[in-house]
PDB file of all heavy atoms in Angstrom:
ATOM      1  N   GLY A   1      -1.201  -6.983  -5.175  1.00  0.00           N
ATOM      2  CA  GLY A   1      -0.431  -5.822  -5.546  1.00  0.00           C
ATOM      3  C   GLY A   1      -1.311  -4.643  -5.911  1.00  0.00           C
ATOM      4  O   GLY A   1      -2.523  -4.787  -6.144  1.00  0.00           O
ATOM      5  N   ILE A   2      -0.722  -3.469  -5.951  1.00  0.00           N
ATOM      6  CA  ILE A   2      -1.426  -2.250  -6.362  1.00  0.00           C
ATOM      7  C   ILE A   2      -0.585  -1.572  -7.448  1.00  0.00           C
ATOM      8  O   ILE A   2       0.607  -1.817  -7.604  1.00  0.00           O
ATOM      9  CB  ILE A   2      -1.688  -1.304  -5.198  1.00  0.00           C
ATOM     10  CG1 ILE A   2      -0.401  -0.995  -4.433  1.00  0.00           C
ATOM     11  CG2 ILE A   2      -2.754  -1.872  -4.270  1.00  0.00           C
ATOM     12  CD1 ILE A   2      -0.576   0.018  -3.308  1.00  0.00           C
ATOM     13  N   SER A   3      -1.232  -0.664  -8.185  1.00  0.00           N
ATOM     14  CA  SER A   3      -0.565   0.064  -9.260  1.00  0.00           C
ATOM     15  C   SER A   3       0.456   1.043  -8.695  1.00  0.00           C
ATOM     16  O   SER A   3       0.448   1.414  -7.514  1.00  0.00           O
ATOM     17  CB  SER A   3      -1.592   0.787 -10.125  1.00  0.00           C
ATOM     18  OG  SER A   3      -2.220   1.804  -9.357  1.00  0.00           O
ATOM     19  N   LYS A   4       1.366   1.531  -9.551  1.00  0.00           N
ATOM     20  CA  LYS A   4       2.377   2.486  -9.127  1.00  0.00           C
ATOM     21  C   LYS A   4       1.761   3.789  -8.644  1.00  0.00           C
ATOM     22  O   LYS A   4       2.214   4.375  -7.646  1.00  0.00           O
ATOM     23  CB  LYS A   4       3.352   2.752 -10.276  1.00  0.00           C
ATOM     24  CG  LYS A   4       4.221   1.572 -10.648  1.00  0.00           C
ATOM     25  CD  LYS A   4       5.084   1.124  -9.471  1.00  0.00           C
ATOM     26  CE  LYS A   4       6.013  -0.024  -9.858  1.00  0.00           C
ATOM     27  NZ  LYS A   4       6.810  -0.498  -8.684  1.00  0.00           N
ATOM     28  N   VAL A   5       0.721   4.261  -9.327  1.00  0.00           N
ATOM     29  CA  VAL A   5       0.089   5.513  -8.896  1.00  0.00           C
ATOM     30  C   VAL A   5      -0.674   5.278  -7.608  1.00  0.00           C
ATOM     31  O   VAL A   5      -0.758   6.203  -6.747  1.00  0.00           O
ATOM     32  CB  VAL A   5      -0.828   6.055 -10.001  1.00  0.00           C
ATOM     33  CG1 VAL A   5      -2.087   5.177 -10.200  1.00  0.00           C
ATOM     34  CG2 VAL A   5      -1.226   7.512  -9.715  1.00  0.00           C
ATOM     35  N   HIS A   6      -1.161   4.087  -7.379  1.00  0.00           N
ATOM     36  CA  HIS A   6      -1.810   3.745  -6.096  1.00  0.00           C
ATOM     37  C   HIS A   6      -0.773   3.784  -4.986  1.00  0.00           C
ATOM     38  O   HIS A   6      -1.036   4.264  -3.866  1.00  0.00           O
ATOM     39  CB  HIS A   6      -2.413   2.354  -6.231  1.00  0.00           C
ATOM     40  CG  HIS A   6      -3.573   2.092  -5.339  1.00  0.00           C
ATOM     41  ND1 HIS A   6      -4.530   1.120  -5.568  1.00  0.00           N
ATOM     42  CD2 HIS A   6      -3.957   2.665  -4.174  1.00  0.00           C
ATOM     43  CE1 HIS A   6      -5.418   1.111  -4.616  1.00  0.00           C
ATOM     44  NE2 HIS A   6      -5.089   2.042  -3.737  1.00  0.00           N
ATOM     45  N   GLU A   7       0.452   3.271  -5.251  1.00  0.00           N
ATOM     46  CA  GLU A   7       1.524   3.339  -4.266  1.00  0.00           C
ATOM     47  C   GLU A   7       1.894   4.782  -3.931  1.00  0.00           C
ATOM     48  O   GLU A   7       2.056   5.146  -2.776  1.00  0.00           O
ATOM     49  CB  GLU A   7       2.772   2.617  -4.799  1.00  0.00           C
ATOM     50  CG  GLU A   7       2.613   1.095  -4.899  1.00  0.00           C
ATOM     51  CD  GLU A   7       3.819   0.458  -5.538  1.00  0.00           C
ATOM     52  OE1 GLU A   7       4.758   1.209  -5.966  1.00  0.00           O
ATOM     53  OE2 GLU A   7       3.883  -0.788  -5.578  1.00  0.00           O
ATOM     54  N   ARG A   8       1.983   5.646  -4.987  1.00  0.00           N
ATOM     55  CA  ARG A   8       2.332   7.037  -4.757  1.00  0.00           C
ATOM     56  C   ARG A   8       1.232   7.765  -3.969  1.00  0.00           C
ATOM     57  O   ARG A   8       1.545   8.653  -3.166  1.00  0.00           O
ATOM     58  CB  ARG A   8       2.565   7.743  -6.105  1.00  0.00           C
ATOM     59  CG  ARG A   8       3.786   7.208  -6.864  1.00  0.00           C
ATOM     60  CD  ARG A   8       4.251   8.190  -7.926  1.00  0.00           C
ATOM     61  NE  ARG A   8       3.211   8.530  -8.869  1.00  0.00           N
ATOM     62  CZ  ARG A   8       2.981   7.877  -9.995  1.00  0.00           C
ATOM     63  NH1 ARG A   8       3.706   6.800 -10.296  1.00  0.00           N
ATOM     64  NH2 ARG A   8       2.020   8.242 -10.813  1.00  0.00           N
ATOM     65  N   PHE A   9      -0.015   7.347  -4.179  1.00  0.00           N
ATOM     66  CA  PHE A   9      -1.116   7.929  -3.433  1.00  0.00           C
ATOM     67  C   PHE A   9      -0.954   7.645  -1.925  1.00  0.00           C
ATOM     68  O   PHE A   9      -1.122   8.543  -1.091  1.00  0.00           O
ATOM     69  CB  PHE A   9      -2.428   7.361  -3.947  1.00  0.00           C
ATOM     70  CG  PHE A   9      -3.641   7.634  -3.096  1.00  0.00           C
ATOM     71  CD1 PHE A   9      -4.212   8.894  -3.043  1.00  0.00           C
ATOM     72  CD2 PHE A   9      -4.182   6.603  -2.325  1.00  0.00           C
ATOM     73  CE1 PHE A   9      -5.314   9.121  -2.247  1.00  0.00           C
ATOM     74  CE2 PHE A   9      -5.278   6.836  -1.527  1.00  0.00           C
ATOM     75  CZ  PHE A   9      -5.861   8.094  -1.470  1.00  0.00           C
ATOM     76  N   PHE A  10      -0.658   6.392  -1.579  1.00  0.00           N
ATOM     77  CA  PHE A  10      -0.447   6.087  -0.160  1.00  0.00           C
ATOM     78  C   PHE A  10       0.788   6.779   0.383  1.00  0.00           C
ATOM     79  O   PHE A  10       0.790   7.196   1.533  1.00  0.00           O
ATOM     80  CB  PHE A  10      -0.303   4.561   0.013  1.00  0.00           C
ATOM     81  CG  PHE A  10      -1.615   3.822  -0.064  1.00  0.00           C
ATOM     82  CD1 PHE A  10      -1.756   2.727  -0.914  1.00  0.00           C
ATOM     83  CD2 PHE A  10      -2.678   4.185   0.707  1.00  0.00           C
ATOM     84  CE1 PHE A  10      -2.959   2.023  -0.973  1.00  0.00           C
ATOM     85  CE2 PHE A  10      -3.893   3.514   0.644  1.00  0.00           C
ATOM     86  CZ  PHE A  10      -4.042   2.435  -0.196  1.00  0.00           C
ATOM     87  N   ASP A  11       1.821   6.905  -0.410  1.00  0.00           N
ATOM     88  CA  ASP A  11       3.050   7.565   0.057  1.00  0.00           C
ATOM     89  C   ASP A  11       2.801   9.060   0.260  1.00  0.00           C
ATOM     90  O   ASP A  11       3.501   9.712   1.034  1.00  0.00           O
ATOM     91  CB  ASP A  11       4.178   7.358  -0.959  1.00  0.00           C
ATOM     92  CG  ASP A  11       5.523   7.740  -0.408  1.00  0.00           C
ATOM     93  OD1 ASP A  11       5.776   7.466   0.795  1.00  0.00           O
ATOM     94  OD2 ASP A  11       6.335   8.318  -1.119  1.00  0.00           O
ATOM     95  N   ALA A  12       1.806   9.608  -0.417  1.00  0.00           N
ATOM     96  CA  ALA A  12       1.439  11.019  -0.255  1.00  0.00           C
ATOM     97  C   ALA A  12       0.456  11.249   0.869  1.00  0.00           C
ATOM     98  O   ALA A  12      -0.098  12.346   0.992  1.00  0.00           O
ATOM     99  CB  ALA A  12       0.866  11.575  -1.556  1.00  0.00           C
ATOM    100  N   GLY A  13       0.237  10.209   1.693  1.00  0.00           N
ATOM    101  CA  GLY A  13      -0.650  10.373   2.832  1.00  0.00           C
ATOM    102  C   GLY A  13      -2.110   9.982   2.616  1.00  0.00           C
ATOM    103  O   GLY A  13      -2.951  10.232   3.476  1.00  0.00           O
ATOM    104  N   GLY A  14      -2.392   9.336   1.495  1.00  0.00           N
ATOM    105  CA  GLY A  14      -3.747   8.946   1.200  1.00  0.00           C
ATOM    106  C   GLY A  14      -4.202   7.747   1.995  1.00  0.00           C
ATOM    107  O   GLY A  14      -3.370   6.965   2.504  1.00  0.00           O
ATOM    108  N   PHE A  15      -5.500   7.600   2.134  1.00  0.00           N
ATOM    109  CA  PHE A  15      -6.112   6.482   2.837  1.00  0.00           C
ATOM    110  C   PHE A  15      -7.076   5.750   1.920  1.00  0.00           C
ATOM    111  O   PHE A  15      -7.852   6.401   1.187  1.00  0.00           O
ATOM    112  CB  PHE A  15      -6.855   6.942   4.111  1.00  0.00           C
ATOM    113  CG  PHE A  15      -5.932   7.384   5.190  1.00  0.00           C
ATOM    114  CD1 PHE A  15      -5.572   8.728   5.303  1.00  0.00           C
ATOM    115  CD2 PHE A  15      -5.387   6.490   6.086  1.00  0.00           C
ATOM    116  CE1 PHE A  15      -4.691   9.138   6.302  1.00  0.00           C
ATOM    117  CE2 PHE A  15      -4.512   6.889   7.091  1.00  0.00           C
ATOM    118  CZ  PHE A  15      -4.169   8.218   7.196  1.00  0.00           C
ATOM    119  N   GLY A  16      -7.054   4.414   1.975  1.00  0.00           N
ATOM    120  CA  GLY A  16      -7.973   3.604   1.192  1.00  0.00           C
ATOM    121  C   GLY A  16      -9.144   3.125   2.015  1.00  0.00           C
ATOM    122  O   GLY A  16      -9.446   3.681   3.081  1.00  0.00           O
ATOM    123  N   ILE A  17      -9.792   2.075   1.553  1.00  0.00           N
ATOM    124  CA  ILE A  17     -10.962   1.545   2.264  1.00  0.00           C
ATOM    125  C   ILE A  17     -10.580   1.091   3.655  1.00  0.00           C
ATOM    126  O   ILE A  17     -11.224   1.399   4.655  1.00  0.00           O
ATOM    127  CB  ILE A  17     -11.586   0.388   1.473  1.00  0.00           C
ATOM    128  CG1 ILE A  17     -11.997   0.824   0.096  1.00  0.00           C
ATOM    129  CG2 ILE A  17     -12.762  -0.218   2.221  1.00  0.00           C
ATOM    130  CD1 ILE A  17     -12.393  -0.312  -0.806  1.00  0.00           C
ATOM    131  N   LEU A  18      -9.464   0.313   3.739  1.00  0.00           N
ATOM    132  CA  LEU A  18      -9.052  -0.266   5.004  1.00  0.00           C
ATOM    133  C   LEU A  18      -7.604   0.042   5.356  1.00  0.00           C
ATOM    134  O   LEU A  18      -7.194  -0.252   6.482  1.00  0.00           O
ATOM    135  CB  LEU A  18      -9.227  -1.791   4.976  1.00  0.00           C
ATOM    136  CG  LEU A  18     -10.636  -2.339   4.845  1.00  0.00           C
ATOM    137  CD1 LEU A  18     -10.631  -3.844   4.717  1.00  0.00           C
ATOM    138  CD2 LEU A  18     -11.507  -1.925   6.027  1.00  0.00           C
ATOM    139  N   ILE A  19      -6.813   0.554   4.447  1.00  0.00           N
ATOM    140  CA  ILE A  19      -5.376   0.702   4.714  1.00  0.00           C
ATOM    141  C   ILE A  19      -4.897   2.111   4.438  1.00  0.00           C
ATOM    142  O   ILE A  19      -5.591   2.917   3.807  1.00  0.00           O
ATOM    143  CB  ILE A  19      -4.554  -0.307   3.871  1.00  0.00           C
ATOM    144  CG1 ILE A  19      -4.666  -0.006   2.373  1.00  0.00           C
ATOM    145  CG2 ILE A  19      -4.995  -1.737   4.144  1.00  0.00           C
ATOM    146  CD1 ILE A  19      -3.760  -0.868   1.532  1.00  0.00           C
ATOM    147  N   GLY A  20      -3.698   2.374   4.914  1.00  0.00           N
ATOM    148  CA  GLY A  20      -3.050   3.683   4.761  1.00  0.00           C
ATOM    149  C   GLY A  20      -2.249   4.012   5.997  1.00  0.00           C
ATOM    150  O   GLY A  20      -2.775   4.039   7.097  1.00  0.00           O
ATOM    151  N   ASP A  21      -0.928   4.160   5.834  1.00  0.00           N
ATOM    152  CA  ASP A  21      -0.034   4.441   6.951  1.00  0.00           C
ATOM    153  C   ASP A  21       0.469   5.859   6.987  1.00  0.00           C
ATOM    154  O   ASP A  21       1.345   6.179   7.770  1.00  0.00           O
ATOM    155  CB  ASP A  21       1.166   3.480   6.885  1.00  0.00           C
ATOM    156  CG  ASP A  21       0.773   2.024   7.164  1.00  0.00           C
ATOM    157  OD1 ASP A  21      -0.074   1.826   8.054  1.00  0.00           O
ATOM    158  OD2 ASP A  21       1.295   1.129   6.505  1.00  0.00           O
ATOM    159  N   GLY A  22      -0.030   6.703   6.142  1.00  0.00           N
ATOM    160  CA  GLY A  22       0.449   8.087   6.098  1.00  0.00           C
ATOM    161  C   GLY A  22       1.624   8.259   5.133  1.00  0.00           C
ATOM    162  O   GLY A  22       1.738   9.278   4.485  1.00  0.00           O
ATOM    163  N   ARG A  23       2.485   7.248   5.037  1.00  0.00           N
ATOM    164  CA  ARG A  23       3.565   7.243   4.072  1.00  0.00           C
ATOM    165  C   ARG A  23       3.766   5.776   3.622  1.00  0.00           C
ATOM    166  O   ARG A  23       3.440   4.856   4.349  1.00  0.00           O
ATOM    167  CB  ARG A  23       4.892   7.742   4.699  1.00  0.00           C
ATOM    168  CG  ARG A  23       4.927   9.218   5.010  1.00  0.00           C
ATOM    169  CD  ARG A  23       4.752  10.104   3.780  1.00  0.00           C
ATOM    170  NE  ARG A  23       5.749   9.804   2.735  1.00  0.00           N
ATOM    171  CZ  ARG A  23       6.942  10.361   2.701  1.00  0.00           C
ATOM    172  NH1 ARG A  23       7.365  11.176   3.629  1.00  0.00           N
ATOM    173  NH2 ARG A  23       7.756  10.085   1.675  1.00  0.00           N
ATOM    174  N   LEU A  24       4.327   5.628   2.430  1.00  0.00           N
ATOM    175  CA  LEU A  24       4.633   4.306   1.902  1.00  0.00           C
ATOM    176  C   LEU A  24       5.975   4.401   1.150  1.00  0.00           C
ATOM    177  O   LEU A  24       6.007   4.272  -0.066  1.00  0.00           O
ATOM    178  CB  LEU A  24       3.519   3.793   1.016  1.00  0.00           C
ATOM    179  CG  LEU A  24       3.564   2.308   0.613  1.00  0.00           C
ATOM    180  CD1 LEU A  24       3.449   1.408   1.820  1.00  0.00           C
ATOM    181  CD2 LEU A  24       2.463   2.008  -0.394  1.00  0.00           C
ATOM    182  N   PRO A  25       7.090   4.602   1.885  1.00  0.00           N
ATOM    183  CA  PRO A  25       8.361   4.853   1.193  1.00  0.00           C
ATOM    184  C   PRO A  25       8.955   3.637   0.519  1.00  0.00           C
ATOM    185  O   PRO A  25       9.678   3.776  -0.457  1.00  0.00           O
ATOM    186  CB  PRO A  25       9.253   5.333   2.324  1.00  0.00           C
ATOM    187  CG  PRO A  25       8.664   4.732   3.568  1.00  0.00           C
ATOM    188  CD  PRO A  25       7.179   4.688   3.336  1.00  0.00           C
ATOM    189  N   ARG A  26       8.661   2.433   1.020  1.00  0.00           N
ATOM    190  CA  ARG A  26       9.217   1.209   0.448  1.00  0.00           C
ATOM    191  C   ARG A  26       8.118   0.200   0.204  1.00  0.00           C
ATOM    192  O   ARG A  26       7.942  -0.760   0.952  1.00  0.00           O
ATOM    193  CB  ARG A  26      10.282   0.632   1.379  1.00  0.00           C
ATOM    194  CG  ARG A  26      11.576   1.453   1.419  1.00  0.00           C
ATOM    195  CD  ARG A  26      12.553   0.927   2.424  1.00  0.00           C
ATOM    196  NE  ARG A  26      12.107   1.112   3.794  1.00  0.00           N
ATOM    197  CZ  ARG A  26      12.239   2.254   4.457  1.00  0.00           C
ATOM    198  NH1 ARG A  26      12.846   3.295   3.896  1.00  0.00           N
ATOM    199  NH2 ARG A  26      11.812   2.345   5.690  1.00  0.00           N
ATOM    200  N   PRO A  27       7.319   0.388  -0.859  1.00  0.00           N
ATOM    201  CA  PRO A  27       6.198  -0.506  -1.123  1.00  0.00           C
ATOM    202  C   PRO A  27       6.656  -1.839  -1.676  1.00  0.00           C
ATOM    203  O   PRO A  27       7.711  -1.960  -2.307  1.00  0.00           O
ATOM    204  CB  PRO A  27       5.373   0.275  -2.127  1.00  0.00           C
ATOM    205  CG  PRO A  27       6.380   1.113  -2.866  1.00  0.00           C
ATOM    206  CD  PRO A  27       7.409   1.492  -1.851  1.00  0.00           C
ATOM    207  N   ALA A  28       5.855  -2.856  -1.472  1.00  0.00           N
ATOM    208  CA  ALA A  28       6.087  -4.192  -2.035  1.00  0.00           C
ATOM    209  C   ALA A  28       4.775  -4.951  -2.014  1.00  0.00           C
ATOM    210  O   ALA A  28       3.835  -4.600  -1.300  1.00  0.00           O
ATOM    211  CB  ALA A  28       7.160  -4.948  -1.229  1.00  0.00           C
ATOM    212  N   GLY A  29       4.726  -5.988  -2.809  1.00  0.00           N
ATOM    213  CA  GLY A  29       3.516  -6.800  -2.875  1.00  0.00           C
ATOM    214  C   GLY A  29       3.222  -7.509  -1.547  1.00  0.00           C
ATOM    215  O   GLY A  29       4.117  -7.884  -0.804  1.00  0.00           O
ATOM    216  N   GLU A  30       1.942  -7.649  -1.275  1.00  0.00           N
ATOM    217  CA  GLU A  30       1.486  -8.340  -0.081  1.00  0.00           C
ATOM    218  C   GLU A  30       1.469  -9.837  -0.321  1.00  0.00           C
ATOM    219  O   GLU A  30       0.950 -10.284  -1.335  1.00  0.00           O
ATOM    220  CB  GLU A  30       0.082  -7.846   0.275  1.00  0.00           C
ATOM    221  CG  GLU A  30      -0.408  -8.203   1.660  1.00  0.00           C
ATOM    222  CD  GLU A  30      -1.761  -7.589   1.925  1.00  0.00           C
ATOM    223  OE1 GLU A  30      -2.717  -7.906   1.190  1.00  0.00           O
ATOM    224  OE2 GLU A  30      -1.875  -6.786   2.869  1.00  0.00           O
ATOM    225  N   GLN A  31       2.033 -10.614   0.577  1.00  0.00           N
ATOM    226  CA  GLN A  31       2.119 -12.085   0.449  1.00  0.00           C
ATOM    227  C   GLN A  31       1.406 -12.728   1.639  1.00  0.00           C
ATOM    228  O   GLN A  31       1.677 -12.355   2.779  1.00  0.00           O
ATOM    229  CB  GLN A  31       3.584 -12.524   0.393  1.00  0.00           C
ATOM    230  CG  GLN A  31       4.382 -11.865  -0.692  1.00  0.00           C
ATOM    231  CD  GLN A  31       5.872 -12.076  -0.549  1.00  0.00           C
ATOM    232  OE1 GLN A  31       6.308 -12.888   0.245  1.00  0.00           O
ATOM    233  NE2 GLN A  31       6.644 -11.320  -1.305  1.00  0.00           N
ATOM    234  N   ILE A  32       0.523 -13.676   1.319  1.00  0.00           N
ATOM    235  CA  ILE A  32      -0.291 -14.285   2.374  1.00  0.00           C
ATOM    236  C   ILE A  32      -0.241 -15.810   2.257  1.00  0.00           C
ATOM    237  O   ILE A  32      -0.418 -16.346   1.175  1.00  0.00           O
ATOM    238  CB  ILE A  32      -1.756 -13.816   2.277  1.00  0.00           C
ATOM    239  CG1 ILE A  32      -1.843 -12.288   2.346  1.00  0.00           C
ATOM    240  CG2 ILE A  32      -2.612 -14.433   3.399  1.00  0.00           C
ATOM    241  CD1 ILE A  32      -3.221 -11.738   2.035  1.00  0.00           C
ATOM    242  N   LEU A  33      -0.020 -16.456   3.382  1.00  0.00           N
ATOM    243  CA  LEU A  33      -0.139 -17.914   3.460  1.00  0.00           C
ATOM    244  C   LEU A  33      -1.273 -18.181   4.441  1.00  0.00           C
ATOM    245  O   LEU A  33      -1.279 -17.641   5.558  1.00  0.00           O
ATOM    246  CB  LEU A  33       1.162 -18.520   3.942  1.00  0.00           C
ATOM    247  CG  LEU A  33       1.161 -20.045   4.085  1.00  0.00           C
ATOM    248  CD1 LEU A  33       1.042 -20.718   2.731  1.00  0.00           C
ATOM    249  CD2 LEU A  33       2.452 -20.530   4.799  1.00  0.00           C
ATOM    250  N   GLU A  34      -2.232 -19.046   4.029  1.00  0.00           N
ATOM    251  CA  GLU A  34      -3.383 -19.280   4.883  1.00  0.00           C
ATOM    252  C   GLU A  34      -3.662 -20.783   4.953  1.00  0.00           C
ATOM    253  O   GLU A  34      -3.508 -21.512   3.991  1.00  0.00           O
ATOM    254  CB  GLU A  34      -4.615 -18.558   4.324  1.00  0.00           C
ATOM    255  CG  GLU A  34      -5.873 -18.750   5.151  1.00  0.00           C
ATOM    256  CD  GLU A  34      -7.041 -17.914   4.672  1.00  0.00           C
ATOM    257  OE1 GLU A  34      -6.938 -17.294   3.583  1.00  0.00           O
ATOM    258  OE2 GLU A  34      -8.058 -17.847   5.386  1.00  0.00           O
ATOM    259  N   THR A  35      -4.134 -21.215   6.130  1.00  0.00           N
ATOM    260  CA  THR A  35      -4.521 -22.598   6.310  1.00  0.00           C
ATOM    261  C   THR A  35      -5.740 -22.644   7.231  1.00  0.00           C
ATOM    262  O   THR A  35      -5.934 -21.743   8.060  1.00  0.00           O
ATOM    263  CB  THR A  35      -3.388 -23.449   6.895  1.00  0.00           C
ATOM    264  OG1 THR A  35      -3.790 -24.797   6.975  1.00  0.00           O
ATOM    265  CG2 THR A  35      -2.957 -22.958   8.272  1.00  0.00           C
TER     266      THR A  35
END
């Protein structure tokens, strides 16, 4: 997960180290299953 202000940053068009879609209108936690 990321913080609320981190979510707003991505929704405002920000880019991180590896991610960023230009908008993030419906954020949610990332869930991963690995084997």
Side-chain angles (χ1 to χ4, degrees):
I2 53 176
S3 66
K4 293 299 182 182
V5 70
H6 206 159
E7 290 176 354
R8 295 199 303 271
F9 167 75
F10 283 128
D11 193 39
F15 288 93
I17 302 170
L18 296 176
I19 66 175
D21 290 322
R23 291 298 303 275
L24 191 63
R26 288 176 292 277
E30 193 176 60
Q31 304 167 13
I32 304 171
L33 180 67
E34 181 174 9
T35 184

